[in-house]
Amino acid sequence: MTSTPGSARAMVETTSPSPERLARFDAGERVLHWINASLFAVMMGTAAALYVGPISAAVGRREVVKTIHVWTGLALPVPVLFTFVTRRWGAGFRADVRRFNRWTADDRRWLRTWGRDSRVRSGKFNAGQKLNAAFTLGAIVVMLVTGSIMRWPRHFPLAWRTGATFVHDWIFLALAVTITGHVLYAANDPDAMRAMARGWIPRPWARRHAPAWEEEATGNVPGPR
Amino acid sequence: MARPGKSETLVGRRVVLGMAGAGALGVLFGAKVQDRLARWLAPAEAADPTGLIDLLPAAGRFRFYSVVGFLPHRSAAAYRLSVAGLVDKPLTFTLADLQAMPATHLVKDFQCVTGWRVPEVAWTGVTLASVLDAAGVQSGATAVSFASFDGAYTESLSLDQARRPDVLVAYGMEGKAVSSQHGGPVRLYVAPMYGYKSCKWLESIHVTDRVVPGYWEHQGYDVDAWIGKSNGRDDKPVA
């Protein structure tokens, strides 16, 4: 097995089960996704129990809920970092992080028209997915820091605590919106959602939603549309 | 793909770094922004029948904290407040007994040690001093302990603190009975101290010869919880 992630990626993609299936997420990415999804579910559930009055009233046990929330939050970056640094297991993840980071002229046009411009030829991820990925990573970083200030205020300048609570609260609301959106988009696109379970996606899906990627993954030039 | 082409820009990295920067500014200046937002939102919130605005972090309303796994509830009819310990005659008050005593009305802020503050809450009740006087505090007593009917929460005050005119055994809040969520039917309201001193679901008052630290004080919070002068905070005092 070659050690450069780019060619590892190409190898995975050309060994698809059949030409009608394109490998989209490798095992490392799928395992990471579902671990993250579980941890996020725990975080959002305990957050709601700490934050939303009626839910707090029904759940109570503030100390226990807080402890679960804090330790789950501290655990959250661990699988991400582990996957990122493991050589073969993390190859697909690293390649996709690079894709998320890089924006093309098509991505900018996608964002201006919110995907309605049919001339936009998205790659493996469209600009909305890229933006969501970057926002979620930024949110994890900010939540980790502000959450630590809230949990261990004595180790930080005390004036920061109210500000940290303020930031943590608003990012929580924003995450509640983006995660709900993420789940709804997935529920409305069974092929895309199944790709996160079985790893591959039907080629027509790729042609429609990610034409530049389909071309790249199969070496085909696009036919008439 | 891996090589950034000429027209490719690293937007993802900019978004992440931008959020980190905005987050840092939020930590430094968020308290001020929150104050402004709370004042700005207040009229909309008062007129909002859905209560959804209350869910916004800046709304400046109460957040519910309970240390037990349920919402403690006691009906107004079943409610009893006992006063015991170093007193001449141990007493038990019904809600009607408390309401028959001369009432005190205060309009004062409620400040939580975690930073949120609810401005100008209308409180109704009797002074803790009058309850203590009714039972007759014995010489040698220096402090008062409180217990909640949630079965877990405790608090305390020195006798001097307990006799302040802005320390209430409260049964009314914002013109209504104190709801279960807010610690009703009867709770303590210790105006000059952080919210954790204002024991909710007040069930018993015990006069003691020393200050017994309460629930949160065992977890490191200050026993003398003066707003702006304890727990390392500099909030504006509630005078």
Side-chain angles (χ1 to χ4, degrees), chain A residues 51 61-62 101 103 108 154, chain B residues 7 9 13 55 65 68 220:
Chain A
Y51 181 82
R61 288 185 188 80
R62 196 167 180 83
N101 195 3
W103 284 52
R108 284 187 281 277
R154 279 160 207 264
Chain B
S7 64
T9 41
R13 186 157 73 189
L55 290 181
Y65 295 152
V68 295

Side-chain angles (χ1 to χ4, degrees), chain A residues 4 22 28 35 60 66 86-87 94-95 103 105 114 117 120 126-127 142 179 183-184 197 212 215 220:
Chain A
T4 59
L22 298 184
I35 291 175
K66 194 166 109 182
T86 43
R87 201 182 213 187
R94 277 192 304 277
W103 284 52
W114 206 243
D117 185 342
V120 171
N126 67 37
V142 173
I179 291 172
V183 172
L184 288 179
E215 187 185 333
N220 280 2

Side-chain angles (χ1 to χ4, degrees), chain B:
Chain B
M1 185 290 299
R3 292 172 299 279
K6 268 194 182 133
S7 64
E8 289 185 335
T9 41
L10 303 182
V11 174
R13 186 157 73 189
R14 274 182 225 164
V15 170
V16 173
L17 292 176
M19 285 180 67
L25 289 176
V27 169
L28 294 176
F29 303 110
K32 277 178 195 154
V33 179
Q34 179 157 23
D35 269 4
R36 297 253 169 80
L37 272 173
R39 258 174 276 151
W40 180 70
L41 276 173
E45 195 189 348
D48 173 24
T50 62
L52 286 177
I53 292 178
D54 280 356
L55 290 181
L56 292 180
R61 299 313 299 173
F62 282 90
R63 299 179 186 202
F64 175 84
Y65 295 152
S66 168
V67 300
V68 295
F70 52 91
L71 175 61
H73 179 81
R74 195 154 292 180
S75 72
Y79 178 78
R80 298 289 182 277
L81 171 64
S82 73
V83 184
L86 300 175
V87 292
D88 295 331
K89 46 171 181 169
L91 291 175
T92 301
F93 293 85
T94 64
L95 182 57
D97 292 338
L98 293 170
Q99 286 167 338
M101 295 167 68
T104 298
H105 304 277
L106 296 175
V107 177
K108 284 183 187 296
D109 297 0
F110 186 91
Q111 171 77 52
C112 177
V113 73
T114 61
W116 54 270
R117 184 181 186 116
V118 185
E120 301 188 352
V121 183
W123 303 93
T124 307
V126 295
T127 59
L128 177 57
S130 64
V131 171
L132 293 173
D133 287 344
V137 175
Q138 294 181 338
S139 63
T142 63
V144 188
S145 287
F146 310 97
S148 163
F149 61 75
D150 71 1
Y153 202 81
T154 54
E155 252 311 329
S156 66
L157 290 170
S158 75
L159 203 51
D160 287 345
Q161 293 162 0
R163 287 194 179 284
R164 288 175 60 106
D166 53 359
V167 175
L168 294 190
V169 174
Y171 50 75
M173 194 179 153
E174 305 286 38
K176 291 180 283 198
V178 180
S179 68
S180 287
Q181 281 228 26
H182 288 300
V186 175
R187 69 174 295 168
L188 213 57
Y189 172 61
V190 183
M193 295 197 176
Y194 285 108
Y196 63 88
K197 300 299 280 191
S198 293
C199 180
K200 299 203 282 189
W201 307 295
L202 183 63
E203 181 175 50
S204 66
I205 298 173
H206 213 83
V207 180
T208 56
D209 58 2
R210 65 191 172 87
V211 172
V212 182
Y215 183 91
W216 287 112
E217 289 137 29
H218 284 295
Q219 315 218 14
Y221 289 84
D222 287 345
V223 175
D224 292 319
W226 303 107
I227 294 169
K229 283 184 246 159
S230 65
N231 296 295
R233 297 187 59 88
D234 60 354
D235 307 286
K236 197 175 106 212
V238 174

